[in-house]
Amino acid sequence: MNASTKTAARILGSALLLLVLSGAALQAQRDHSWVNGLVFDESETHGVAGATVSLTGDESSPRLREVKLETKTDEEGKYYFKDVAHGDYTFRVSAPGFTPYEIHLYIATDTLTALHVKLRKEAK
């Protein structure tokens, strides 16, 4: 190999390396956020089993307006969402006999958001 061929090979190798690294960086920045937490009753020590927890995407966002994630808490009051796209959401928790809880929040990219909720008994 002559000097110009070696130089061209190095440039091509560097370009390929940059292409691979940029692809890996894009892969790492895919929306892999998580949301989890606990739903408690007024005692703050007992989890509420079977509570409905939902994340609804912002209506004004073309990317999120169709997003509606929903799960139920387990026997200890724990819930978990994975692969949540970043953006603005309405977070709701409801359970029979309790006043529903709702807040608006922003989920950042590649983060874990932990939200613990204390539900209040419904007034009779």
Side-chain angles (χ1 to χ4, degrees):
M1 253 193 233
N2 64 28
S4 64
T5 305
K6 286 181 183 179
T7 301
R10 284 186 186 138
I11 291 171
L12 181 59
S14 296
L16 286 173
L17 180 61
L18 286 174
L19 185 60
V20 168
L21 290 176
S22 65
L26 286 175
Q27 180 75 11
Q29 291 181 0
R30 288 186 16 207
D31 287 328
H32 283 26
S33 296
W34 308 266
V35 179
N36 70 13
L38 294 160
V39 177
F40 293 103
D41 63 13
E42 290 179 330
S43 72
E44 297 183 14
T45 58
H46 296 98
V48 177
T52 301
V53 182
S54 67
L55 283 170
T56 304
D58 182 11
E59 291 282 327
S60 66
S61 169
R63 188 175 52 81
L64 296 176
R65 85 171 41 113
E66 300 296 322
V67 176
K68 171 86 170 156
L69 306 172
E70 188 171 284
T71 191
K72 298 276 188 182
T73 57
D74 67 12
E75 60 280 347
E76 296 174 346
K78 296 177 185 176
Y79 68 90
Y80 180 76
F81 295 103
K82 67 177 187 171
D83 296 331
V84 178
H86 73 279
D88 292 305
Y89 288 87
T90 299
F91 173 79
R92 290 184 185 93
V93 180
S94 61
F98 293 92
T99 302
Y101 177 83
E102 178 178 303
I103 60 169
H104 297 280
L105 65 116
Y106 179 82
I107 304 293
T109 301
D110 297 324
T111 61
L112 168 62
T113 301
L115 294 168
H116 305 304
V117 176
K118 179 172 117 175
L119 293 179
R120 302 204 183 277
K121 294 272 186 195
E122 272 184 336
K124 294 185 181 191

